[in-house]
Amino acid sequence: MSETTTPPPTNSEFGIGQEQLCSLSTEQSTAALELYGGVVGISNLLNTSLAKGIHGDEADLLRRRRAFGSNNYPRWRRKGFLIFVWEACKDPTLLILLVSAAILLALGIKSKGVKEGWYDGGSIAFAAFIVIVVTAMSEYRQYVQFHDTNEKKRNIHLEVIRGGRRVKISIYDIVVGDVIPLNIGDQVPADGILITPHPLAIDESSIHGESIIVHKDSRAPFLMSGCRVQDGSGTMLVIGVGINTEWGLQMAISSDDPIEETPLQARLNGVATFFGIVGLSVTAVILTVLLARYFTGHTRNLDGNVQFIAGKTRAVDAIHGAVSIVTIAVTSIVVAVPDSLPLTVNFTLAFSLRKLMASKILVRKLFACEMMGSATVICSDKTGTLTMNQMIVVEAYAGGRKIDPPSNGLRISPKLQSLLIEGVAQNTNGNVYLPEGCTGIEISGSPTEKAILHWGVQIGMDFEAARSESSIIHMFPFNAEKKRGGVAIQKADHEIHIHWKGAAEIILARCTWYLDTNDHLMEMSGEKMAFFNQIIEDMAAKSLRCVAIAYRPWKKEDIPVNEEQWAHSSILEDDLILLAIVGLKDPCRPGIKTTVQLCQKAGVKVIMFTGDNINTAKAIALECGILSSFDNAIEPCVIEGREFRALTDEQREEIAEKIVVMGRSSPNDKLLLAEALRKRGHIIAVIGDGTNDAPALYEADVGLAMGIQGSQIAIESSDIILMDDNFPSILKVVKWGRCIYANLRKFIQFNLTISVTALLINVVATLSSGDIPLNAVQLLWVNLIMDTLGALALATEQPTNLLMNLPPVGRREPLISNTMWRNILIQVVYQVSVLLALNFQGSIPGFTHDATDHAIKLKRTLIFDAFVLCQIFNEFNARKLDEFNIFKGVTRSTSLWE
């Protein structure tokens, strides 16, 4: 790049304009960045502190949005109601009916005049119009519901540094100049420049379409919105937001239609197709018979006259008669083809999603709600899911002795205290903020980090001072596989310290020394090692999470000089000096034991995963009710992750159903167990909140994430979000999932009963006398109440506790059970018998011997009324498929009465 001077400012409020920032982000030229003075120079031009961020007051935010835009992008306009009306009009059956109605209307008016001739065609057209409008209204409401749900799931919340403190804001509220902390698994929320010198591994597959891992450091500091942090941690300065980023441009041009077909809808499409073929076949028979009878002169008017006489009947009358027959046949298709079955899933899902949202449960993917009704196993992370994720240090050992209380820093020797404070302050992703003029402190970070930072403050740590006394030269991000994380620092006297923190027994195994109460360096003898191991076991038995803190000095001349050397210097993790072991308490969530017991009663097994050691896992599982007693806390019910992953595929599949608790588990262990259970035919739901839970959440049949304390990647990998982090909400999801299946089965029974009855009535009447008891208008009316009002009443039944006493719905269990076939058969026999009796033997007082048009019309009206009344009783019968008392809970079903 040729030498240039820094471009002049393009606005009066900031020293750099949007065009220059866009050019920086697009070209990603470090030479151009240096012209502005690097990231420090850009931050000065943006009036931002790299340490404390922007001021963040309303006036400051408004200035930045006015100069650089907001972190949003244009959305596709929502479909209007008329679009759904147009799509409903495209239904082939309705199109045939409308064409038939137009022909009948024209022929009727021509032959009988406007006053008498509009009835047949006009009535059919009006009924078809109502069907179209009601169908469009139903689909439009569902579209709006799903669209709103889609918007909520996009509204991610994340931490930014403003005014020196970490605050949580919506991703849409990010502005240029914000300083944002990034950790493993986080999505880069805007275009920016890496501030910290430590490298980050970034997955840029969302931009390039291929899984490309790019290492970002001071030589390649530009970060693109939409990418994900694969490894490492650091902070970034935002230089581009919204439509001014490549990610924003991609999102602006992508489709915004949240509607998706669920597995249940696909299965119902198959059912509808099968019965549709049957209905079409029967309708074809009706059409053939009616046309044959008509053109052979066997069809008579209500007054007994033959409708068609070859060579005598006018062409207009012949066409009128033929069109009337085609209309009746086509209308029969409307009733016979159960095309409303898939639509009813939308009814049920929309209703369920609305109810779940009211309970702080956000369903991100439609299939998840119905799938939860079939869940047989719930695999749950411990920390933050079964527990409150509000950790505090309740026990501590330093210098080889117990510190009681753990906050008593006076009982810690000076050198040991100095090293502990140094390690706690530098080896962390958290932050301690002391507001000006206030005595209270604000601690941010993960629950474990917050607890240890709080303990550090209690033993005398000044966070800002401790961090200023040394500089970080390399970070070893916490790794879920290794269960530890570290940092290499250089002190003012150029001395190098490497601090480590992680799972107590893993760190302890790498310690060959420890500091005693007199700051003497003591060798870790076998006896002392056993002593510390016993401490860890005792803490674990009290359901405490054990974390060890250790360090080792290092010679400056031996420090690695590049990233590759750092990555392969495993010796830096060995020969450590133990500083302290702390026990963190994380209380179980209220009502967790009752929830677990109710899940087990419902036939849903609960399995607990945790990164803690096996003894801590046992104690928590007993407290939560996952284990009933210590007698059950033996293999293979309780197993460590390393033991499980060492098994062969056949062995894992064999013991998978016996496992209840897995300690020291890695993210891959959860996947292995889920795969083994699925091979055994189970439907798996996984619940988690951490970045390391994301793979299991993504691969499970249903992934559930905690919405408040859940990490960004966990939330995005999930199908359902518990917005209030309330584990007992899982029961509501399971109950509503089962309710969806139950309500759909009710409607299937109701729908098929009507379809079969209407077909049989018309077929029998056609074949025997050529007369159709249910005409086109009447059948359209039946279709209207069947597809909308009947669906609304049955699809919106509230779930009952009885559903939780039943076993889960099997993945391959047929939608139409034997009980439903029995109910349908009984109803059809009953209704057909009543209606045929009225058709062939029915008589009305005062019109017994009257063969006039009026008497026949009254008889047909009586048949139609009886048919409608039968469907009202059919609706009540369909409410309870397996129960004798069909009126149980009927007063609570408001939609049924409305």
Side-chain angles (χ1 to χ4, degrees), residues 637-802:
C637 292
V638 178
I639 192 171
E640 284 196 347
R642 58 183 175 84
E643 296 176 5
F644 181 72
R645 77 178 78 107
L647 300 173
T648 64
D649 291 344
E650 293 76 14
Q651 289 172 329
R652 281 196 292 266
E653 189 175 335
E654 185 177 343
I655 71 165
E657 293 188 348
K658 301 176 183 177
I659 295 176
V660 178
V661 177
M662 185 179 290
R664 285 291 177 232
S665 62
S666 68
N668 191 51
D669 296 331
K670 302 175 185 180
L671 290 178
L672 291 174
L673 181 59
E675 288 172 0
L677 287 169
R678 292 177 77 174
K679 288 179 182 177
R680 305 285 288 189
H682 289 281
I683 295 178
I684 313 298
V686 172
I687 311 167
D689 69 333
T691 298
N692 61 335
D693 296 316
L697 289 169
Y698 183 79
E699 293 295 334
D701 292 303
V702 182
L704 300 99
M706 297 298 183
I708 299 175
Q709 296 182 351
S711 68
Q712 182 179 329
I713 187 172
I715 290 173
E716 291 188 358
S717 300
S718 66
D719 306 308
I720 297 174
I721 303 173
L722 307 181
M723 304 297 289
D724 56 358
D725 282 12
N726 189 19
F727 184 87
S729 296
I730 292 169
L731 281 176
K732 296 179 183 176
V733 182
V734 173
K735 189 181 291 187
W736 275 104
R738 294 185 176 190
C739 184
I740 288 172
Y741 266 91
N743 288 350
L744 286 175
R745 282 180 158 178
K746 294 172 186 178
F747 180 73
I748 289 172
Q749 178 178 306
F750 174 71
N751 186 298
L752 292 184
T753 300
I754 296 177
S755 298
V756 174
T757 301
L759 275 178
L760 286 178
I761 287 295
N762 279 356
V763 167
V764 173
T766 301
L767 296 177
S768 60
S769 64
D771 188 26
I772 296 293
L774 299 174
N775 62 32
V777 176
Q778 291 170 337
L779 287 176
L780 280 174
W781 173 254
V782 170
N783 183 70
L784 178 64
I785 63 171
M786 178 177 67
D787 286 0
T788 55
L789 303 180
L792 183 64
L794 292 175
T796 56
E797 284 274 336
Q798 299 276 357
T800 63
N801 292 328
L802 180 63

Side-chain angles (χ1 to χ4, degrees), residues 837-884:
L838 290 173
N839 185 62
F840 293 112
Q841 300 295 329
S843 60
I844 303 174
F847 299 93
T848 304
H849 303 291
D850 193 343
T852 62
D853 292 354
H854 183 58
I856 295 175
K857 287 180 180 179
L858 283 177
K859 186 178 79 168
R860 289 183 176 177
T861 302
L862 177 63
I863 293 172
F864 176 69
D865 290 343
F867 183 63
V868 172
L869 285 173
C870 284
Q871 305 325 314
I872 294 175
F873 291 115
N874 182 28
E875 179 100 4
F876 281 94
N877 286 327
R879 288 187 64 251
K880 303 292 181 181
L881 302 181
D882 300 305
E883 296 181 50
F884 180 77

Side-chain angles (χ1 to χ4, degrees), residues 23 152 454 569:
S23 177
K152 286 185 176 69
H454 188 263
S569 297

Side-chain angles (χ1 to χ4, degrees), residues 428-450:
T428 182
N429 289 325
N431 184 60
V432 178
Y433 173 72
L434 180 63
E436 295 182 7
C438 300
T439 55
I441 59 172
E442 296 178 7
I443 301 177
S444 58
S446 70
T448 301
E449 297 281 10
K450 288 166 67 176

Side-chain angles (χ1 to χ4, degrees), residues 79-270:
K79 293 180 182 179
F81 174 70
L82 292 180
I83 292 178
F84 289 91
V85 172
W86 174 247
E87 290 177 353
C89 289
K90 292 179 181 178
D91 184 284
T93 308
L94 289 175
L95 286 175
I96 295 173
L97 282 174
L98 289 173
V99 171
S100 301
I103 295 173
L104 284 174
L105 188 62
L107 293 174
I109 292 174
K110 183 177 181 181
S111 60
K112 300 180 183 179
V114 176
K115 188 174 181 179
E116 297 288 337
W118 71 270
Y119 175 75
D120 288 341
S123 299
I124 294 172
F126 180 70
F129 173 76
I130 292 177
V131 172
I132 289 170
V133 171
V134 172
T135 302
M137 287 178 62
S138 302
E139 294 193 351
Y140 178 69
R141 287 182 61 187
Q142 292 147 21
Y143 171 80
V144 171
Q145 173 75 31
F146 297 145
H147 190 283
D148 292 342
T149 301
N150 210 43
E151 281 298 310
K152 286 185 176 69
K153 77 180 183 184
R154 284 199 182 109
N155 189 14
I156 301 168
H157 286 75
L158 71 165
E159 284 188 340
V160 300
I161 299 174
R162 289 181 177 175
R165 68 171 65 178
R166 293 194 184 190
V167 294
K168 206 161 192 178
I169 64 170
S170 166
I171 192 172
Y172 299 134
D173 294 333
I174 293 173
V175 295
V176 168
D178 264 325
V179 176
I180 302 177
L182 296 174
N183 296 303
I184 296 177
D186 286 349
Q187 177 181 308
V188 180
D191 284 0
I193 306 173
L194 184 64
I195 297 174
T196 49
H198 326 300
L200 294 179
I202 303 293
D203 181 0
E204 295 189 346
S205 58
S206 61
I207 299 296
H208 303 296
E210 299 179 4
S211 187
I212 302 173
I213 305 300
V214 180
H215 292 276
K216 299 290 184 179
D217 51 26
S218 57
R219 292 171 297 179
F222 293 98
L223 302 172
M224 289 188 289
S225 174
C227 299
R228 193 172 297 284
V229 181
Q230 192 76 9
D231 197 11
S233 60
T235 53
M236 65 171 278
L237 173 68
V238 175
I239 62 170
V241 293
I243 200 66
N244 297 313
T245 68
E246 188 170 348
W247 174 258
L249 288 171
Q250 287 184 13
M251 294 301 291
I253 63 176
S254 63
S255 175
D256 199 27
D257 191 352
I259 301 296
E260 59 188 80
E261 186 178 68
T262 69
L264 190 53
Q265 282 175 313
R267 291 179 68 187
L268 284 173
N269 277 327

